[in-house]
């Protein structure tokens, strides 16, 4: 029996944080009670391997059944795991697995090694896939040789190492390419590493960096140097990754594989067999692994696999057609059948066949059209709902070629790109800016659909039939008890029942989709976010002023002051001149907010301090408060009532906002130098814009002993991105197009605050006529 064959053995497992690995750990703990597990887990950025085991493996709902079974027993689940599991910090992407001396000693005592670690993404960068998928198994074999031990190594591969073939795919080693072209895996490793180095160098060429910087500026606008630099580096790294992904696809396609995953897995098999020496090796090749048929419970799944994104996109009406052969076979296998087969191969030992394929197409085929019909019928009865609470009617599925689908999606991408650039050029804000966010969301959906077609189209068009003779021979060799406890016979799966009653309900349960009619949950979500920003535990609420609390800006404030003592003729001249300058001022503002303020504030040169002070007192009521957003001022008072500090951070001049002091604990504003009794038009310090706002708020929190992570920030522009990113609770108020898109992507609270209905909205507010005092503000 399988439990007896593995009793008392020590089994090392790589990839335990993954889909198959987690199911494997659960099944061994529950069904092979006398084995000990050694989990080789990579340290995370902020958590070590032991903590990752607790959080990412043992806390998964796959273990709910085992927890329940142990609940009334003498040993708790946690105690059992502590006794039977040892976690080692290691990485199959590093020579020697990165194990220290103590870990190597523990590893050397293992009787069996199950290697399930892999980069399973079909769009992995070529060098990453080579380091993990190709070299990972070889690194394990080399470590065993260095330690002088020969445990049985069970390597989990994939059926798709057979490549883009039609017809029978036997359980043989693919050592020279799917069509016998004779590849040298060592040469592929060298080329992939050189490609990474060359691509990194190309990404740093001046012309490339200039283009990346222009793209970053288009996305962020005048967000400040730090934010722009971070975005440039992010885009540069993405460019490198995209080139390496493209290279992986191209190289795999050139030699007959669907993608870099299958390509590097095939070469990994070749490298392992050539380098393992006397070490016994078995290779298990599953096909497309999906949710569980029965163990640990029907429908159990960890993360979305290959089919789920396509299914959800179809149910949401985003995909109306997908490439594939209607009479072709979609070779899907539930994860519990795969896990049971791996355990059976490990228990059998190395005396059996080298390769065992775990697939359904040869003995229990699922036809593409049958699967589509089941999915369409299910979503016809259980539709998803759109933002308006209306059911989404799934389209009639068609089966075109990949070229046609890709052509349609590319045309849609181009059209949406033009629309997005046009909307970004317009001065939209608030609900109007949501148009841009909606276009960007739609473009993201199209990009995702294109990605699915490129990644999965070859799999749905695949006409290979994977033979499972070795699998069925192993199945027939088991007694009835083992067959009951470790079922890996693909013939047991009833596909209509699996799709409609197991897989699709599980997919919908894990997907973030609307399954009930009625109003959108976004209102509830906004209310929840609003309660978070007003929670008593918050420390500071920082507010921008212009277009956040008031419908005004530095130009309108200056215009009000500058025209206060002008006669009607001069007023007309002023308005005409200012409107003519408006496009240039807008361009400068969009390019760099600080430069714009310095340039514009030069107009205050020679303005009398006394006169300006007198006029700004009147301006508070006539302009500032008359153009305020009542909901914004109400929010300030709510924060004060909750015991939060309130801080106004604005690029407006300090004498413009002095009248708002009763609302705020601190006002941080631009200050102008004074020469005698007149303003110079020059700044005392850098105006509080862009990254300076984030720094000023950070300094304020440090000075007052407050936590920046417990702060709330309200702002309207992408130039305020550093401030919004610095706090724990960002709020976009009446956002312009760039910020609206960013806020939507990141899930921030968005507020739409408006002026009082009926308030006058002149294109350029002018101050009321008044008797001249000394001299007027400089025109």
């Amino acid at each position: 029996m399988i439990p007896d064959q593995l009793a008392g053995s020590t089994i090392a497992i790589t990839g335990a944080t993954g889909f198959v690995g987690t199911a494997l750990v659960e099944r061994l703990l529950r069904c092979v009670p006398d084995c000990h597990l050694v989990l080789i887990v990579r340290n995370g950025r902020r958590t070590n391997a032991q903590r990752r085991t607790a959080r990412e493996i043992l806390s998964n709902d796959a273990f709910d059944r085992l927890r329940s079974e142990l609940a009334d027993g003498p040993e708790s689940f946690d105690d059992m795991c502590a006794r039977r599991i040892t976690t080692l910090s290691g990485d199959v992407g590093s020579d020697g697995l990165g194990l220290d001396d103590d870990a190597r000693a523990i590893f050397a005592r293992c009787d069996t090694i199950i290697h399930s670690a892999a980069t399973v993404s079909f769009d992995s960068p070529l060098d990453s896939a080579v380091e993990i998928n190709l070299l990972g198994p070889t690194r394990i074999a080399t470590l065993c040789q260095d330690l002088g031990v020969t445990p049985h190594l069970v390597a989990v591969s994939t059926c798709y190492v057979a490549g883009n073939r039609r017809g029978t795919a036997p359980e043989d080693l693919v050592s020279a390419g799917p069509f016998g072209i004779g590849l040298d895996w060592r040469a592929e490793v060298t080329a992939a590493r050189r490609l990474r180095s060359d691509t990194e160098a190309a990404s740093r060429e001046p012309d490339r960096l200039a283009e990346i910087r222009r793209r970053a500026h288009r996305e962020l606008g005048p967000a400040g140097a730090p934010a722009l630099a971070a975005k440039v580096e992010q885009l540069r790294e993405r460019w490198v990754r995209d080139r390496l992904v493209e290279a992986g696809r191209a190289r795999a396609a050139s030699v007959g594989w669907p993608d870099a995953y299958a390509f590097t897995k095939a070469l990994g098999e070749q490298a392992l067999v050539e380098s393992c020496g006397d070490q016994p090796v078995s290779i298990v090749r599953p096909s497309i692994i999906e949710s569980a048929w029965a163990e640990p419970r029907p429908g159990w799944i960890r993360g979305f696999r290959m089919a789920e994104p396509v299914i959800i996109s179809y149910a949401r009406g985003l995909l109306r057609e997908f490439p594939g052969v209607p009479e072709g076979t979609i070779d899907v296998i539930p994860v519990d059948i795969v896990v049971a087969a791996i355990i059976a191969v490990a228990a059998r030992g190395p005396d059996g066949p080298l390769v065992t394929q775990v697939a359904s197409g040869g003995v229990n085929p699922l036809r593409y059209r049958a699967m589509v019909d089941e999915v369409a019928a299910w979503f016809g009865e259980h539709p998803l709902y759109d933002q308006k609470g209306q059911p989404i009617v799934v389209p009639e599925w068609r089966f075109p070629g990949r070229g046609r689908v890709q052509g349609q999606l590319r045309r849609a991408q181009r059209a949406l790109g033009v629309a997005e650039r046009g909307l970004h050029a317009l001065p939209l804000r608030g609900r109007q800016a949501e148009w841009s966010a909606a276009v960007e969301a739609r473009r993201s959906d199209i990009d995702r659909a294109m990605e699915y077609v490129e990644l999965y189209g070859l799999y749905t068009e695949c006409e290979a039939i994977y033979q499972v003779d070795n699998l069925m021979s192993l199945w027939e060799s088991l007694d009835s008890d083992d067959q009951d406890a470790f079922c890996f016979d693909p013939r047991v799966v009833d596909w209509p029942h699996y799709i409609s009653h197991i897989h699709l309900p599980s997919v919908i349960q894990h997907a973030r989709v609307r399954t009930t009619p009625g109003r959108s949950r976004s209102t509830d979500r906004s209310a929840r976010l609003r309660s978070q920003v007003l929670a008593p535990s918050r420390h500071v609420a920082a507010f921008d002023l212009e277009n956040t609390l008031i419908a005004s800006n530095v130009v309108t404030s200056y215009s009000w002051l500058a025209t206060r003592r002008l006669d009607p003729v001069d007023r007309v001249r002023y308005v005409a001149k200012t409107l003519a300058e408006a496009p240039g001022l807008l361009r400068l503002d969009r390019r760099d907010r600080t430069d714009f303020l310095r340039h514009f504030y030069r107009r205050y040169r020679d303005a009398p301090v006394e006169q300006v002070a007198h006029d700004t007192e009147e301006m508070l009521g006539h302009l500032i408060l008359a153009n305020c957003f009542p909901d914004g001022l109400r929010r300030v008072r709510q924060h004060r009532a909750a015991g939060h500090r309130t801080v106004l951070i604005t690029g407006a001049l300090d004498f413009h906002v002095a009248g708002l002091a009763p609302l705020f604990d601190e006002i941080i504003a631009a200050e102008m130098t004074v020469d005698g009794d007149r303003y110079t038009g020059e700044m005392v310090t850098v105006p509080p814009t862009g990254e300076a706002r984030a720094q000023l708020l950070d300094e304020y929190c440090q000075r007052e002993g407050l936590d920046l992570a417990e702060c709330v920030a309200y702002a309207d522009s992408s130039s305020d991105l550093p401030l919004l990113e610095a706090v724990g609770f960002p709020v976009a108020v009446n956002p312009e197009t760039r910020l609206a898109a960013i806020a939507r992507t990141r899930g921030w609270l968005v507020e739409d605050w408006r002026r009082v209905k009926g308030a006058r909205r002149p294109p350029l507010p002018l101050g009321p006529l008044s008797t001249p005092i000394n001299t007027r503000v400089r025109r």
Side-chain angles (χ1 to χ4, degrees):
M1 294 180 64
I2 289 175
D4 295 336
Q5 291 167 312
L6 294 176
S9 63
T10 300
I11 303 172
I13 301 175
T14 68
T17 58
F19 180 37
V20 172
T22 297
L24 185 60
V25 171
E26 189 277 338
R27 197 72 170 274
L28 287 169
L29 290 177
R30 180 164 53 84
C31 299
V32 187
D34 296 324
C35 70
H36 184 85
L37 304 183
V38 175
L39 309 184
I40 300 172
V41 179
R42 186 177 67 250
N43 287 330
R45 291 183 178 180
R46 299 182 180 179
T47 55
N48 59 27
Q50 289 72 23
R51 189 176 293 267
R52 288 192 68 198
T53 296
R55 289 184 176 180
E56 300 180 32
I57 304 174
L58 301 179
S59 64
N60 188 275
D61 60 356
F63 295 89
D64 289 351
R65 175 176 174 179
L66 182 55
R67 288 179 186 275
S68 177
E69 292 176 358
L70 295 175
D72 298 326
E75 186 177 39
S76 70
F77 175 80
D78 291 341
D79 290 342
M80 182 273 296
C81 290
R83 175 174 61 84
R84 296 183 58 193
I85 295 177
T86 300
T87 298
L88 305 180
S89 173
D91 183 0
V92 298
S94 302
D95 291 340
L97 306 190
L99 301 179
D100 60 25
D101 290 342
D102 292 339
R104 287 164 65 93
I106 295 172
F107 182 83
R109 295 195 291 270
C110 293
D111 305 291
T112 302
I113 302 169
I114 300 177
H115 174 52
S116 69
T119 173
V120 297
S121 173
F122 296 147
D123 62 342
S124 295
L126 178 59
D127 65 314
S128 175
V130 163
E131 293 296 335
I132 297 173
N133 295 344
L134 196 164
L135 292 175
T138 300
R139 288 191 176 104
I140 294 174
T142 301
L143 176 60
C144 291
Q145 293 168 10
D146 292 344
L147 296 173
V149 295
T150 55
H152 178 204
L153 173 56
V154 180
V156 181
S157 184
T158 174
C159 283
Y160 291 93
V161 298
N164 300 325
R165 69 170 69 202
R166 290 187 173 94
T168 300
E171 294 168 292
D172 294 336
L173 185 67
V174 182
S175 59
F179 309 114
I181 57 178
L183 296 179
D184 181 352
W185 63 268
R186 293 177 179 83
E188 298 297 329
V189 171
T190 300
R193 288 173 172 172
R194 184 171 60 246
L195 180 63
R196 159 65 75 168
S197 177
D198 291 346
T199 307
E200 286 284 355
S203 74
R204 292 171 167 83
E205 293 176 353
D207 290 346
R208 182 76 57 202
L209 290 174
E211 171 57 31
I212 291 173
R213 183 177 175 83
R214 285 192 293 271
R215 181 180 171 189
H217 196 274
R218 285 196 301 270
E219 290 189 22
L220 296 184
L228 190 63
K231 188 66 177 180
V232 167
E233 183 60 13
Q234 179 191 75
L235 292 176
R236 188 197 65 80
E237 291 175 353
R238 187 185 303 169
W239 185 87
V240 170
R241 186 186 187 282
D242 289 347
R243 299 291 81 70
L244 292 172
V245 168
E246 183 181 346
R249 290 177 184 170
R251 180 55 180 153
S254 72
V255 288
W257 277 284
D259 50 43
Y261 170 68
F263 170 59
T264 53
K265 275 291 191 179
L267 294 182
E269 289 185 9
Q270 176 188 350
L272 175 61
V273 171
E274 288 185 14
S275 60
C276 66
D278 296 331
Q279 183 171 8
V281 170
S282 298
I283 296 172
V284 177
R285 292 179 185 158
S287 57
I288 300 170
I289 307 174
E290 290 293 349
S291 63
W293 168 250
E295 305 276 351
R297 59 173 172 77
W300 177 81
I301 193 170
R302 176 166 191 166
F304 272 7
R305 319 315 305 166
M306 185 187 110
E308 289 72 37
V310 177
I311 289 172
I312 293 297
S313 294
Y314 170 66
R316 292 175 60 199
L318 302 179
L319 274 180
R320 296 182 174 272
E321 54 187 17
F322 201 79
V325 180
E327 64 271 27
T329 298
I330 299 294
D331 206 311
V332 173
I333 194 76
V335 64
D336 49 335
I337 291 179
V338 175
V339 164
I342 293 171
I343 294 174
V345 169
R348 180 196 63 195
D351 295 332
L354 172 63
V355 176
T356 301
Q357 293 184 158
V358 190
S360 61
V363 292
N364 184 18
L366 170 62
R367 303 299 179 190
Y368 191 16
R369 182 180 291 281
M371 183 195 73
V372 168
D373 290 345
E374 290 290 339
V375 171
W378 195 87
F379 281 110
E381 295 180 10
H382 310 88
L384 302 186
Y385 291 83
D386 61 21
Q387 291 297 315
K388 297 180 180 179
Q390 298 300 308
I392 299 172
V393 179
V394 292
E396 180 181 354
W397 193 268
R398 295 185 293 271
F399 302 89
R402 265 183 306 128
R404 173 180 162 184
V405 179
Q406 287 172 323
Q408 293 173 345
L409 293 174
R410 287 194 185 98
R411 288 191 292 273
Q413 283 176 324
R414 287 194 293 268
L416 288 169
V418 171
E420 189 174 15
R421 288 191 295 273
L423 287 171
H424 274 212
L426 298 175
L428 305 177
R429 53 180 67 250
R431 291 184 180 176
Q432 292 175 325
E434 282 295 310
W435 300 341
S436 175
V439 169
E440 181 165 321
R442 181 60 180 168
R443 183 180 59 79
S444 178
D445 289 338
I446 296 296
D447 291 345
R448 195 177 303 117
M450 176 66 86
E451 182 181 359
Y452 297 156
V453 170
E454 291 176 344
L455 291 180
Y456 307 140
L458 280 170
Y459 287 86
T460 56
E461 292 178 333
C462 180
E463 296 185 73
I465 302 299
Y466 304 107
Q467 298 301 293
V468 290
D469 296 341
N470 294 340
L471 180 76
M472 300 314 298
S473 295
L474 180 59
W475 172 253
E476 297 298 335
S477 72
L478 301 183
D479 60 29
S480 59
D481 289 339
D482 276 345
Q483 288 186 347
D484 289 340
F486 299 92
C487 178
F488 55 83
D489 183 356
R491 296 171 297 183
V492 304
V493 181
D494 178 351
W495 291 118
H497 177 79
Y498 173 77
I499 293 170
S500 298
H501 298 282
I502 295 178
H503 187 64
L504 289 178
S506 178
V507 169
I508 295 304
Q509 180 183 353
H510 289 84
R512 294 180 178 180
V513 292
R514 294 193 62 203
T515 58
T516 56
R519 67 187 180 90
S520 172
R521 294 180 181 177
S522 61
T523 302
D524 297 335
R525 182 178 177 279
S526 295
R528 185 175 68 254
L529 292 174
R530 207 169 282 124
S531 67
Q532 291 176 1
V533 303
L534 290 171
S537 55
R538 303 291 86 81
H539 291 177
V540 176
F543 291 84
D544 181 25
L545 179 65
E546 298 166 356
N547 296 307
T548 301
L549 293 177
I550 63 171
S552 181
N553 54 57
V554 298
V555 176
T556 58
S557 297
Y558 175 81
S559 297
W560 194 95
L561 293 171
T563 60
R564 183 153 161 69
R565 293 177 173 81
L566 294 182
D567 57 48
V569 174
D570 285 341
R571 281 182 168 226
V572 172
R573 290 173 179 162
Y574 174 85
V575 170
K577 179 182 178 183
T578 303
L579 292 178
E581 292 175 331
L585 293 174
L586 182 60
R587 284 194 298 272
L588 180 58
D589 187 26
R590 287 183 170 181
R591 188 164 58 244
D592 190 295
R593 180 68 174 173
T594 299
D595 288 347
F596 164 75
L597 290 178
R598 282 200 174 104
H599 168 78
F600 192 80
Y601 286 158
R602 295 286 189 266
R603 303 179 183 216
Y604 283 89
R605 189 171 69 246
D606 293 333
V609 174
E610 180 184 356
Q611 176 184 310
V612 171
H614 177 272
D615 288 349
T616 52
E617 289 180 6
E618 274 194 63
M619 187 177 71
L620 177 66
H622 282 84
L623 180 67
I624 304 297
L625 296 180
N627 288 281
C628 74
F629 301 129
D631 288 335
L633 298 187
R634 189 177 300 115
R635 181 63 57 82
V636 177
R637 295 189 180 99
Q638 287 176 317
H639 279 290
R640 291 178 70 84
H644 308 156
R645 303 279 187 93
T646 54
V647 178
L648 179 65
I649 307 179
T650 176
L653 291 163
D654 54 353
F655 50 78
H656 286 177
V657 297
L660 298 176
L663 287 172
F664 298 97
D665 295 292
E666 183 94 3
I667 293 180
I668 302 172
E671 298 179 47
M672 191 174 293
T673 59
V674 176
D675 184 7
D677 62 349
R678 294 177 181 272
Y679 288 110
T680 65
E682 297 177 359
M683 299 289 95
V684 174
T685 58
V686 177
T689 62
E691 66 272 19
R693 294 188 178 188
Q695 183 178 353
L696 288 166
L697 182 60
D698 184 31
E699 292 172 354
Y700 175 80
C701 289
Q702 291 185 30
R703 186 169 64 249
E704 300 295 326
L706 304 172
D707 186 358
L708 197 61
E710 291 294 335
C711 292
V712 186
Y714 296 82
D716 70 294
S717 170
S718 62
S719 65
D720 300 308
L721 198 58
L723 174 65
L724 294 169
E725 291 179 330
V727 301
F729 301 88
V731 183
V733 180
N734 306 329
E736 44 81 39
T737 51
R738 289 190 181 95
L739 184 59
I742 293 170
R744 182 169 182 163
T745 301
R746 301 187 185 184
W748 292 350
L749 175 62
V750 176
E751 298 284 17
D752 183 36
W753 292 342
R754 300 189 177 190
R755 295 193 299 180
V756 176
K757 290 183 179 180
R760 292 179 66 249
R761 301 185 182 184
L764 195 62
L766 305 178
L769 290 172
S770 177
T771 304
I773 300 179
N774 295 329
T775 186
R776 61 191 61 157
V777 176
R778 179 184 178 88
R779 282 179 284 161

